[in-house]
Amino acid sequence: MPTRKVKRQSHVMTASEGRRLFERQARRSLNMSGEEFIAKWRAGKFNGTSDTPRVMRVAMLLPFAER
């Protein structure tokens, strides 16, 4: 069976797109604003729960919010 080459396009996310993605994920995953998540993250409020999928999903996007 012949293989089919798929041409993939990449998209470099702008800073504002990254911030919107972070904000949307914080609201969707944790029902809080991105700003509230950052404040709680810096204050250590997620200690003990920081390895849960919902928290990690948002924490991984922190670089987009802090540009």
Side-chain angles (χ1 to χ4, degrees):
M1 185 163 94
T3 57
R4 185 173 159 214
K5 290 187 178 183
V6 177
K7 189 174 184 179
R8 296 180 188 244
Q9 293 181 343
S10 61
H11 172 74
V12 176
M13 195 174 286
T14 66
S16 63
E17 288 172 328
R19 284 189 297 273
R20 282 194 307 268
L21 173 65
F22 174 77
E23 181 71 29
R24 186 172 54 244
Q25 205 52 251
R27 290 188 184 282
R28 188 177 291 162
S29 297
L30 300 169
N31 200 29
M32 67 176 65
S33 71
E35 190 174 302
E36 184 180 0
F37 177 83
I38 291 170
K40 287 184 176 188
W41 182 264
R42 289 181 178 160
K45 301 287 183 175
F46 293 107
N47 290 347
T49 62
S50 62
D51 60 348
T52 62
R54 293 179 335 154
V55 174
M56 286 309 299
R57 192 174 296 128
V58 180
M60 289 188 312
L61 296 173
L62 274 168
F64 289 111
E66 297 174 335
R67 285 189 193 184

